[in-house]
Amino acid sequence: MFKEVTNKLVSWFLHHQSFSGYLEPVMQQFIPAWRSGSFRAQVNQVKPVDHDYVYLTLAPESSWAINNISHQAGQHIELTLEINGRLLTRIFTIASSPALFKKTKEITLLIKTNKLGRFTGAITQFIQVGSWCNISKPQGDFLFESITQQVVMVAGGSGITPIISMLAEHVEKLTQPTYLRYIAETGHHQFIELLENLANKNELFTFELVTRAQHEKIPLIFDGNSSQDVYCCGPSGLMQSIKEQALVGQGNYFQEQFSIGAIVNENQSSFNVIFDGENVDITNGTTLLEQFEQKELNVTRGCGIGVCHQCVCNKKSGLVKNLRTGEVSDNGEQLIQLCISQPLSDLEITS
Amino acid sequence: MTRFNYEQFEQELDEIKFSTLDKVGQQDANHIRRVIRQQRFCSWGGRILLMMGLIHPALWVVGIILLSIAKILENMEIAHNVMHGQYDWMNDKHINSKTYEWDIACDGASWNRIHNFEHHTYTNVIGKDRDFGYGLLRLSDDFRWRVKNLWQFITYINLSILFQWGISYHELAGERVFIGKKKEDRDQRVPHSELKQRFFSKGARQLIKDYVIFPLIAGPLFLWVIVGNLIANLIRNLWTSTVIFCGHFTEHVHTFTEESIVNESQGQWYYRQALGSSNIKGGKLLHLMTGHLSFQIEHHLFPDMPSSRYQEIAPKVEAVFKKHNLHYNTGSFGKQYLSVVKRILQYSLPTKAVA
Ligand code: FES
C-alpha cells in the first residue's frame, strides 16, 4: 500500500515509475550496478576454459538469498551485464548447488561463449574480477523430485548445468540407481572431476560421457514396464526424441528448454510473432510495422522511416535486422523501431 | 549553376553517421548518467536553498539559479535527447524514449508525436511542420500577412515567457482540440478527449508541484518558495525558447513546400534538414545548457544520434557543407539572436521581404 502510494506520487511529480528509478544514476555513483528491481552480484572469478566455455563465479548481495536459501537445484537466473554502455540480459542456469552456496555464498554459471555473440562474446573482455553485475531471483521449475525413483538423465552440451546442480545437491540422498548420459563433442565435456567425485560419494550414481555419434549408436532403453523418471536438458531436437522414448515408460518426464537463442535461418521466410500475447504469422518480406498494421494490431506509426521513434516496441526475444544500419540484433530484450525492423526469426514483442 | 549532388551529399553524411554510431558506447552512457546526476544535485540543492532565504537572501538567489539550471538540464539535455531515442540502445529501463516523461507542463507522449514525427520528418515544410512559427508568428512569405502580425514581436515575448504552456497547448494541436479547427489530411490517431485529459492532468501536476507541494513543505517560507519557483520556471522558459528560436528561425533558414518533398530521397531529406536549422557557437557549457541544440544542424540531420557526439561531428559536417557549397549557418549567440529578432520584425510587415 505504502509502496503503491509512493510510486503514484513519484510518477506524478518526479515522472519515474519508482523512486529508485529516479535515484538510480545517483546511487550508482556510490554503489556500482545499483538498479531498481534487480539484485547486485560481484564477480569473484572469470575462468575461461577450453572450447569457449567460461565459468563465472558470482557473489550475490545478501538480500538475494533470504535466510541463506539461494536457489533450488536446476533453476536459472537472468544475468545483466553492462557491456560498452549497453545493458544486456541473458538467462543462465546456476550450475552450483544450493548446498555449496551455504558454504561459500557464491554461485557459478557455466557460459558457452560465441565470438560473434554480443553478450557471450564480450564476457571475458568486459567482465573483470571484482566488478558488479545484476541478477534476478532464481526462476524455473526444472527441479529434481525423484530421490526414491530410478532415474535416467540426459544432458546435451551446456544442458549439463541444471543437471550438475541437481546431482551435486542430491547425490548423497539417492536411494535408487541414477544414470546420467552426457552428450558433447569429444573433449568438450565439462565438470568431469566433479562428476567423478559425485560418483564416488554414492555408488548408485553412474555416468557416461559420450559423443553425439555414440549416443545415437547406443540406445537408451526405456521399456513400457519400467518406471524410471527421465530428466533431459539440451537442444530441442534431443529433448524431443528423449521425450518420445521416455513417454513409453511409466515414469515421469522432466525437461528444461535451455536458451539456445534463435539463429538466422536463410531458408525460412515466415515466422511466428507473439505480440502482446497474441500470436501472429509474419514473413521477412517487409517491416514489422507494415505487417502489424495490415493485421490491425495496435501499433503507432509516425514517420515510417526510422526517425521519430514513435513505433518503438520492446522485443523480448528473437532476431531482427535494422534496415537503416543493416545491423542484426541479438536474441535478448531490447527496444526496436518497428518501421525499420525486418524479422529474421520467431519473435516476442510487447507494445 | 551545376545541379546539387544529392547522392554524394547523402553518402558523405551517411558515412559520418555510421562511423560515429559505431563508436557510441560506454562514454555516451556515462555522459547521460553524469548529466542526470548533475541535474539531481542542482535540483535538490536549489529546492533546499530556496527555503534558506531567511538566513540570507543570497542563498535564495543561488537556490533559484540552481533550480533553473536543473530544469534546463532536465528539459534540454536529458529529456529532449532521451525522448528522441538517442539513448535507447542502452537498454536502460529509465533512460529511453518509450518510458521517459519530462519535467515540464507539456505531456511527453503528445510532444513526442508532434515534435519527433511532424517537426523532424517534415522540417520547415509549410503546412506540415506546425512548429514553424507555432501558428502564432509569421516567419516567412509562405504565410499571408494578418494585422496581428504587426505586434508579433510582443506575441513572441509572451510566447517565450509562457513557453512551456505554449508548447503544451501547441503540441497537442490545441487549436484543433479546443477550438475545433479541422485539418483534413491529418488523421486523428489519438482521440481529442485523451489529448485534452493529458494536457490538463500533466499541466495540473506541474502547477501543484511547484506552487503547492514545495511551498507547503517550506511552511512559513511559503511565499519565498512560490516566488522562487516562479522565477526559476520563467528563466527556464526564456532560455529554452531563445535557444529553440536561434536554432530554427534565424534569417537564413529556408522553408519548403509540400510538393517539393514528394518522393524525397534521403539526400534531399538531408538537404532540407541542413537548410532548415542554424547553430550557435560556444563552449562546452553552452552546448550542455542548450541540450546540444547549439548543434541544431547536426541534431536535425541525425536526430537519434546521442547528443554527446554532436560536438565531435560538427567539423566534419561543416566540411561536407563547404564541399557542396552549402551555407553552414552558425554564429555566436548574440549574432544568431539578433538574426531571429530581425526575422520576426521583418515579417511583421506585409511587404514581401527582399531575400
Ligand atoms: S515510425 Fe518513425 S521511427 Fe518508426
Side-chain angles (χ1 to χ4, degrees):
Chain A
M1 181 62 196
F2 175 72
K3 204 168 170 190
E4 277 163 32
V5 174
T6 42
N7 281 350
K8 209 56 282 144
L9 288 175
V10 167
S11 86
W12 277 353
F13 299 113
L14 296 175
H15 316 299
H16 277 74
Q17 290 144 338
S18 62
F19 190 57
S20 45
Y22 171 79
L23 280 184
E24 215 172 80
V26 176
M27 295 297 282
Q28 283 166 356
Q29 183 79 336
F30 307 103
I31 309 174
W34 193 87
R35 248 173 264 293
S36 57
S38 176
F39 296 91
R40 305 165 68 235
Q42 190 163 30
V43 178
N44 276 1
Q45 197 184 28
V46 190
K47 194 171 97 189
V49 294
D50 289 348
H51 311 297
D52 304 330
Y53 279 103
V54 174
Y55 289 85
L56 188 63
T57 304
L58 304 174
E61 63 181 331
S62 57
S63 57
W64 182 75
I66 298 163
N67 298 329
N68 225 350
I69 299 167
S70 55
H71 60 292
Q72 290 176 281
Q75 287 191 307
H76 51 256
I77 51 166
E78 288 169 17
L79 170 68
T80 304
L81 300 176
E82 185 173 7
I83 292 176
N84 195 16
R86 288 171 175 78
L87 290 168
L88 300 181
T89 301
R90 296 292 182 277
I91 293 174
F92 294 102
T93 310
I94 303 171
S96 53
S97 67
L100 189 65
F101 177 85
K102 285 207 174 75
K103 273 188 243 149
T104 61
K105 300 278 178 281
E106 290 177 337
I107 56 173
T108 297
L109 311 177
L110 171 67
I111 298 174
K112 171 90 174 150
T113 63
N114 173 350
K115 277 191 200 60
L116 300 174
R118 209 163 290 157
F119 186 96
T120 60
I123 279 192
T124 43
Q125 194 189 339
F126 281 95
I127 303 310
Q128 264 111 39
V129 171
S131 67
W132 291 85
C133 58
N134 293 102
I135 58 175
S136 70
K137 277 270 180 204
Q139 305 154 357
D141 44 18
F142 184 52
L143 306 173
F144 191 75
E145 294 161 14
S146 316
I147 289 172
T148 56
Q149 276 290 327
Q150 276 196 33
V151 174
V152 173
M153 297 173 132
V154 182
S158 39
I160 186 66
T161 45
I163 288 177
I164 198 80
S165 172
M166 290 175 183
L167 288 168
E169 183 73 5
H170 301 293
V171 77
E172 282 157 327
K173 290 170 266 171
L174 299 175
T175 60
Q176 296 288 326
T178 296
Y179 165 74
L180 163 68
R181 177 177 286 183
Y182 175 12
I183 308 158
E185 278 173 55
T186 321
H188 286 210
H189 293 89
Q190 300 297 315
F191 299 112
I192 300 177
E193 211 175 305
L194 179 57
L195 284 168
E196 280 163 358
N197 280 338
L198 294 174
N200 288 337
K201 276 192 193 156
N202 187 340
E203 58 192 20
L204 288 171
F205 169 64
T206 52
F207 70 96
E208 262 183 313
L209 308 178
V210 300
T211 62
R212 181 119 162 251
Q214 287 167 327
H215 165 70
E216 272 154 18
K217 241 181 270 153
I218 335 166
L220 276 165
I221 302 179
F222 304 110
D223 62 58
N225 302 321
S226 74
S227 77
Q228 290 165 324
D229 283 355
V230 180
Y231 288 77
C232 182
C233 182
S236 53
L238 173 73
M239 290 198 294
Q240 194 56 37
S241 84
I242 299 292
K243 184 177 181 181
E244 277 159 22
Q245 297 172 48
L247 291 180
V248 177
Q250 290 161 4
N252 298 308
Y253 175 75
F254 305 88
Q255 72 168 30
E256 173 81 315
Q257 183 91 44
F258 82 83
S259 47
I260 18 155
I263 40 167
V264 180
N265 181 347
E266 308 270 314
N267 304 320
Q268 198 183 350
S269 60
S270 53
F271 308 104
N272 179 264
V273 177
I274 306 174
F275 183 77
D276 283 343
E278 197 180 324
N279 276 293
V280 278
D281 293 320
I282 52 158
T283 71
N284 63 3
T286 64
T287 64
L288 284 172
L289 185 67
E290 246 164 73
Q291 304 192 49
F292 286 1
E293 280 180 335
Q294 263 166 28
K295 304 227 146 60
E296 299 187 353
L297 300 177
N298 187 15
V299 288
T300 315
R301 170 187 282 266
C303 62
I305 54 170
V307 176
C308 72
H309 286 250
Q310 292 298 292
C311 60
V312 168
C313 280
N314 192 15
K315 168 179 76 69
K316 294 272 183 203
S317 65
L319 302 171
V320 293
K321 181 174 184 176
N322 179 326
L323 294 174
R324 255 170 114 209
T325 60
E327 195 181 356
V328 175
S329 78
D330 50 3
N331 259 301
E333 186 168 341
Q334 88 188 81
L335 294 174
I336 55 168
Q337 292 161 271
L338 295 181
C339 69
I340 48 165
S341 294
Q342 176 192 19
L344 295 181
S345 77
D346 289 351
L347 295 164
E348 193 184 340
I349 295 174
T350 56
S351 65
Chain B
M1 212 178 104
T2 50
R3 195 183 81 88
F4 188 83
N5 191 338
Y6 291 108
E7 294 75 28
Q8 205 193 340
F9 188 58
E10 169 179 339
Q11 245 176 34
E12 286 166 4
L13 288 177
D14 273 349
E15 152 67 26
I16 295 177
K17 172 163 106 186
F18 292 126
S19 63
T20 311
L21 286 182
D22 263 356
K23 284 189 270 178
V24 164
Q26 196 68 51
Q27 201 189 324
D28 306 84
N30 294 348
H31 165 80
I32 194 70
R33 292 214 176 90
R34 183 172 57 240
V35 177
I36 294 177
R37 278 197 295 277
Q38 291 165 346
Q39 191 274 338
R40 301 288 189 265
F41 293 139
C42 286
S43 157
W44 300 336
R47 300 248 184 228
I48 291 170
L49 287 180
L50 280 182
M51 297 190 275
M52 304 276 167
L54 279 190
I55 302 175
H56 195 294
L59 293 177
W60 180 74
V61 174
V62 176
I64 294 178
I65 295 172
L66 284 179
L67 188 57
S68 311
I69 295 176
K71 282 174 184 278
I72 290 169
L73 280 180
E74 201 281 337
N75 292 171
M76 305 288 271
E77 178 66 3
I78 305 170
H80 172 256
N81 293 329
V82 168
M83 285 158 79
H84 259 294
Q86 294 178 0
Y87 296 93
D88 281 5
W89 54 271
M90 284 166 61
N91 282 332
D92 190 298
K93 263 197 292 181
H94 304 288
I95 309 176
N96 67 67
S97 62
K98 209 167 163 53
T99 51
Y100 200 90
E101 176 65 50
W102 56 358
D103 189 17
I104 182 177
C106 177
D107 170 57
S110 308
W111 176 82
N112 241 329
R113 202 162 31 242
I114 304 293
H115 175 89
N116 284 8
F117 169 38
E118 290 190 8
H119 169 62
H120 272 276
T121 318
Y122 301 119
T123 312
N124 292 7
V125 174
I126 302 303
K128 283 262 190 189
D129 177 8
R130 300 186 314 109
D131 280 9
F132 197 81
Y134 296 102
L136 286 170
L137 311 176
R138 186 178 105 98
L139 295 172
S140 84
D141 284 325
D142 303 299
F143 292 91
R144 224 173 357 107
W145 182 84
R146 298 198 169 126
V147 181
K148 68 170 188 185
N149 295 130
L150 274 180
W151 56 87
Q152 70 172 354
F153 193 75
I154 297 174
T155 314
Y156 159 68
I157 300 290
N158 287 337
L159 173 66
S160 294
I161 290 173
L162 291 171
F163 198 59
Q164 62 163 336
W165 297 97
I167 292 290
S168 181
Y169 179 80
H170 171 77
E171 300 299 22
L172 65 80
E175 65 272 28
R176 270 177 280 146
V177 174
F178 289 107
I179 308 173
K181 277 195 202 168
K182 280 242 161 52
K183 186 113 204 223
E184 253 117 67
D185 59 340
R186 239 187 286 264
D187 58 325
Q188 205 56 56
R189 266 169 261 263
V190 186
H192 282 175
S193 55
E194 188 190 327
L195 285 176
K196 252 190 236 183
Q197 191 261 333
R198 280 172 170 276
F199 173 83
F200 285 118
S201 92
K202 181 77 192 286
R205 281 184 271 133
Q206 290 298 98
L207 289 177
I208 292 173
K209 172 168 149 177
D210 273 348
Y211 303 117
V212 179
I213 296 185
F214 279 108
L216 279 180
I217 293 175
L221 292 171
F222 195 84
L223 272 184
W224 288 81
V225 171
I226 285 198
V227 175
N229 286 345
L230 192 69
I231 300 176
N233 278 326
L234 180 66
I235 294 177
R236 183 265 316 274
N237 286 352
L238 290 175
W239 175 251
T240 47
S241 149
T242 306
V243 168
I244 287 161
F245 271 74
C246 283
H248 284 306
F249 309 126
T250 51
E251 280 172 284
H252 299 292
V253 164
H254 290 221
T255 56
F256 302 84
T257 59
E258 275 185 55
E259 299 82 68
S260 70
I261 62 157
V262 180
N263 292 328
E264 190 179 44
S265 72
Q266 175 73 23
Q268 289 165 322
W269 187 87
Y270 276 144
Y271 178 80
R272 182 157 53 84
Q273 301 300 334
L275 295 182
S277 358
S278 44
N279 284 5
I280 307 168
K281 278 191 197 149
K284 271 210 156 63
L285 187 63
L286 176 93
H287 298 317
L288 182 67
M289 292 306 284
T290 60
H292 289 86
L293 290 184
S294 44
F295 294 107
Q296 192 70 253
I297 299 178
E298 285 71 18
H299 175 57
H300 261 272
L301 292 171
F302 316 117
D304 58 1
M305 177 187 288
S307 56
S308 43
R309 295 283 166 177
Y310 290 161
Q311 202 160 353
E312 160 188 338
I313 62 165
K316 297 184 203 165
V317 172
E318 190 171 354
V320 172
F321 275 40
K322 236 205 187 115
K323 201 165 139 196
H324 291 266
N325 264 325
L326 273 190
H327 175 51
Y328 187 81
N329 189 342
T330 185
S332 68
F333 199 93
K335 175 178 161 236
Q336 297 297 58
Y337 189 66
L338 270 181
S339 173
V340 169
V341 171
K342 224 167 127 190
R343 186 165 187 153
I344 297 174
L345 290 174
Q346 192 175 20
Y347 288 102
S348 308
L349 300 174
T351 45
K352 216 171 163 61
V354 238

